[in-house]
Amino acid sequence: MKFGNTTLDAPGPRPAFGWVDLVVLVALFGFGWSVLHFGRGMLVHFDENHIPPLSTALSDIPYYAGRTLLRMWVAFGFSLLFTFAAGYAAAKNRVARALILPAMDILQSVPVLGFLSATVAGFMALFPGSLLGVECASIFAIFTGQVWNMAFGFYHSMITIPTDLQEAASTCGLNRWQRFTTVEVPASMHSLIWNSMMSFGGGWFFVAQSEAISVMNKNIKLPGLGSYMATAVEKGDNVAACWAIVAMLTLILVSDQLIWRPLLAWADKFKIELTESSEAPQSWFYNLLRGAYVFTWIEKKITGPFSEWFRNLTVRVKEVSAPVTQNRGDIFKWLWRGLGCALLAWLGWEMLVGLRAGVATVHNNVTMADFGHMLWLGLLTMLRVLAVTVLATLIWTPIGVWMGFHPKVARFTQPLAQIAASFPVNMTFPFVVGFYVAYHVSMNWGSIFLIAMGTQWYILFNVIAGAMAIPNDLKEAARTYGLKGWDLWRMLIIPAIFPFWVTGACTAAGGAWNASIVAELATWGKTTLKADGLGSFIADVTSKGDTPLIICSIAIMSLFVTVMNKLIWRRLYGLAERRFRLD
């Protein structure tokens, strides 16, 4: 068995620097300058009592787009770190799994507005008089729109790694770090990249809410493409809205060509298969970078010697500290356990204090009639979430399999799917609100379409990842045995994509609850359409700053999501782990 396509490995060393290296160096310097230029705007003075209005001049769009893109990638970097840490811990430790998975179930159900209402004041107090506090709150909100899909996807890839690879790693005596970098991350690469693409799109989906902050009677608009869109929507400015759409589509296409497509081409070498696919993913930018000698030079002159020095230092430290470690290993083990228990106790106490204060606030201001009304609204939103999940599964599963089985087709359709997944729902309001008003469409039904626009793509992207991850030798075996139609789906496709579909459906359902905040309350200019549901209720009370109802409504939404995950998605995850894995 081979673990990768050798044809995609780096070419032989170049004799000297060339024009490609010059282009790469210029691009790297340009990237560094851009980060400093746009990052400088995050550190300016800020006074919440004197907030200047946001300009909708077309000349400001490039700067706003750069600020938004910087926030998106900073949030994505933190999301990736959290994904590796939480996904690894949940996959390797039962106690951590029992804590992490339920926590992520609850946190993915908390709306972006809920995180903003809880974090804006805290970050502003952490950085008084500086815009950095609001920037941190915005980045954290984008982080919450990206991270859960990535974390769930990586966790599920970790627990479904083929047994023979795990046994080979144990036979070779790999330590935890070596196993993580050479087996576990490469085996999870396809799922991780596709879920990263979807999560990055999820960040775009909520970028308007994270940059145009209207919570707790505060109306703060950060310079960015999302706040520009929100301002255009408020003013009913169709020209500014259209140019904002053009800018966003441009950023999505550029990101696809320069980042996601090269990553997919690079990750194809990590497929677990016996024979190489005849239609490997291609990327002109990836081929260009492969011809750059500068990366080989950096590896030889900088990273290589540093890695060797660090490796030798680690070995010497282990040799010197081996006797001490053997004698005091139990002491350090119990010390870490004691620190962990102390940290958990402190967090538990803070949660209890906050919960007690929240319960007192809710008890004094929320009646049983209000509570019952919110439960009824939650039930209505849950029905919409289930409808979106079922319909998206029936529609996008066969399409995703078809795209995954035909990389040439996926090469053209992937950017279109990414654009659709990244497109903020509020930018469709000029068309949707007008259409619903003209044809007397009830928002109670129309909101299902708006929710689907933001969440159905989780299923599509995960199904594509699952179909592309099917080893080519299994496809050839299916062709050899003449499997077609339902037999092919029953014996190969469904078992292979089922773990990926579970991840996509779980995150789609969780994202649908979050998207209901935007989709159940559509506003364009002076026209507002409102659906009966928990999402529109949360959006309404959040804008008013009604803390008791905010706490209660978010708690009810979290309860609904947790119950659904416990009764449906956790069981499907267990089924996928037990029966549908490559062994």
Side-chain angles (χ1 to χ4, degrees):
M1 176 181 291
K2 70 174 184 177
F3 198 7
N5 294 330
T6 56
T7 56
L8 288 179
D9 291 339
R14 291 171 54 88
F17 287 89
W19 68 270
V20 176
D21 303 287
L22 179 62
V23 172
V24 171
L25 289 174
V26 171
L28 290 175
F29 281 114
F31 171 76
W33 177 87
S34 299
V35 172
L36 294 176
H37 174 67
F38 294 116
R40 183 177 57 186
M42 297 182 175
L43 304 176
V44 299
H45 175 74
F46 173 73
D47 184 359
E48 61 179 296
N49 297 318
H50 299 86
I51 303 175
L54 192 73
S55 170
T56 54
L58 301 183
S59 58
D60 292 328
I61 288 182
Y63 179 74
Y64 289 168
R67 290 285 295 271
T68 295
L69 202 60
L70 180 59
R71 294 187 192 103
M72 294 279 289
W73 282 110
V74 171
F76 179 79
F78 284 109
S79 298
L80 195 61
L81 292 176
F82 181 89
T83 293
F84 285 138
Y88 183 87
K92 294 295 184 179
N93 188 283
R94 290 185 177 182
V95 177
R97 184 185 308 133
L99 296 174
I100 292 174
L101 294 184
M104 289 198 303
D105 286 340
I106 296 174
L107 290 174
Q108 76 164 339
S109 68
V110 177
V112 170
L113 290 178
F115 284 109
L116 281 172
S117 62
T119 58
V120 168
F123 280 116
M124 290 177 64
L126 189 62
F127 301 99
S130 174
L131 190 63
L132 185 60
V134 187
E135 290 282 355
C136 289
S138 176
I139 291 172
F140 184 75
I142 297 173
F143 165 85
T144 61
Q146 294 178 344
V147 68
W148 316 121
N149 180 53
M150 296 171 58
F152 276 118
F154 182 69
Y155 158 75
H156 198 266
S157 297
M158 287 278 293
I159 63 176
T160 55
I161 292 177
T163 304
D164 53 346
L165 282 182
Q166 298 281 23
E167 293 176 350
S170 300
T171 302
C172 294
L174 301 183
N175 58 35
R176 290 186 177 182
W177 176 249
Q178 292 172 330
R179 185 190 293 262
F180 180 75
T181 55
T182 61
V183 177
E184 293 165 346
V185 171
S188 308
M189 192 58 65
H190 266 88
S191 174
L192 183 61
I193 291 176
W194 279 97
N195 279 294
S196 295
M197 293 168 58
M198 183 62 244
S199 295
F200 203 78
W204 280 112
F205 185 81
F206 291 108
V207 72
Q209 282 68 41
S210 61
E211 291 181 346
I213 303 172
S214 299
V215 296
M216 310 303 291
N217 293 321
K218 296 178 181 178
N219 191 3
I220 305 171
K221 286 185 171 63
L222 293 170
L225 200 57
S227 55
Y228 185 95
M229 293 177 181
T231 304
V233 169
E234 291 175 0
K235 295 181 178 180
D237 190 341
N238 290 326
V239 175
C242 289
W243 279 109
I245 292 174
V246 171
M248 188 191 69
L249 296 181
T250 301
L251 290 179
I252 293 171
L253 291 175
V254 170
S255 298
D256 173 73
Q257 291 294 315
L258 301 185
I259 298 173
W260 302 121
R261 188 166 294 186
L263 284 176
L264 287 174
W266 168 76
D268 194 67
K269 64 183 180 180
F270 297 120
K271 288 182 67 174
I272 306 172
E273 56 186 10
L274 296 174
T275 59
E276 182 179 344
S277 174
S278 60
E279 297 182 354
Q282 298 293 328
S283 167
W284 65 269
F285 190 64
Y286 176 62
N287 293 332
L288 180 69
L289 292 180
R290 290 174 64 198
Y293 178 71
V294 63
F295 298 114
T296 304
W297 182 86
I298 291 175
E299 182 179 1
K300 289 182 177 179
K301 302 297 183 180
I302 301 177
T303 60
F306 177 78
S307 299
E308 185 66 24
W309 172 82
F310 184 77
R311 189 181 303 111
N312 294 334
L313 178 64
T314 304
V315 171
R316 288 195 295 269
V317 169
K318 286 183 177 180
E319 290 176 352
V320 173
S321 61
V324 177
T325 303
Q326 293 176 358
N327 295 331
R328 302 183 180 180
D330 291 339
I331 297 177
F332 283 107
K333 180 176 67 175
W334 285 106
L335 178 62
W336 281 112
R337 288 182 179 180
L339 291 175
C341 291
L343 178 61
L344 288 176
W346 176 76
L347 291 175
W349 174 255
E350 292 294 329
M351 290 178 61
L352 287 176
V353 172
L355 181 61
R356 181 180 178 182
V359 169
T361 302
V362 170
H363 176 73
N364 295 328
N365 296 275
V366 180
T367 65
M368 290 301 297
D370 293 331
F371 187 76
H373 179 62
M374 284 183 282
L375 285 175
W376 167 248
L377 294 178
L379 180 61
L380 294 177
T381 300
M382 184 185 70
L383 294 177
R384 295 189 183 102
V385 169
L386 293 175
V388 167
T389 305
V390 173
L391 291 175
T393 297
L394 295 177
I395 294 172
W396 292 111
T397 298
I399 296 176
V401 170
W402 177 66
M403 292 173 62
F405 273 46
H406 300 84
K408 291 183 179 180
V409 175
R411 206 172 302 158
F412 296 100
T413 56
Q414 172 196 328
L416 300 178
Q418 193 172 351
I419 289 173
S422 306
F423 202 84
V425 166
N426 64 324
M427 294 311 298
T428 66
F429 289 174
F431 314 101
V432 174
V433 173
F435 178 82
Y436 286 177
V437 171
Y439 291 92
H440 305 288
V441 177
S442 173
M443 195 62 178
N444 288 325
W445 294 99
S447 60
I448 296 177
F449 173 73
L450 294 180
I451 293 174
M453 286 185 63
T455 59
Q456 59 188 341
W457 314 110
Y458 289 103
I459 294 177
L460 173 62
F461 276 58
N462 276 278
V463 170
I464 294 175
M468 294 186 70
I470 298 176
N472 192 57
D473 47 290
L474 291 183
K475 298 179 183 177
E476 292 182 354
R479 285 192 292 266
T480 301
Y481 285 101
L483 296 180
K484 296 181 180 179
W486 172 243
D487 290 334
L488 178 63
W489 277 81
R490 179 174 57 88
M491 300 184 67
L492 175 63
I493 296 177
I494 292 179
I497 69 171
F498 184 78
F500 295 86
W501 172 84
V502 173
T503 298
C506 178
T507 50
W513 284 98
N514 213 328
S516 66
I517 308 292
V518 181
E520 291 182 347
L521 186 65
T523 301
W524 177 254
K526 296 182 180 180
T527 305
T528 300
L529 297 180
K530 183 178 180 181
D532 295 326
L534 193 57
S536 60
F537 183 86
I538 292 176
D540 189 32
V541 298
T542 302
S543 62
K544 295 178 181 177
D546 193 333
T547 302
L549 289 180
I550 291 174
I551 295 174
C552 195
S553 58
I554 291 177
I556 289 176
M557 181 174 282
S558 301
L559 177 63
F560 271 102
V561 176
T562 303
V563 171
M564 285 183 61
N565 287 347
K566 184 67 175 180
L567 298 180
I568 300 175
W569 305 119
R570 288 296 129 232
R571 296 185 180 185
L572 291 178
Y573 268 121
L575 179 64
E577 182 179 358
R578 292 191 307 270
R579 296 189 56 185
F580 300 106
R581 57 186 296 174
L582 293 174
D583 285 324

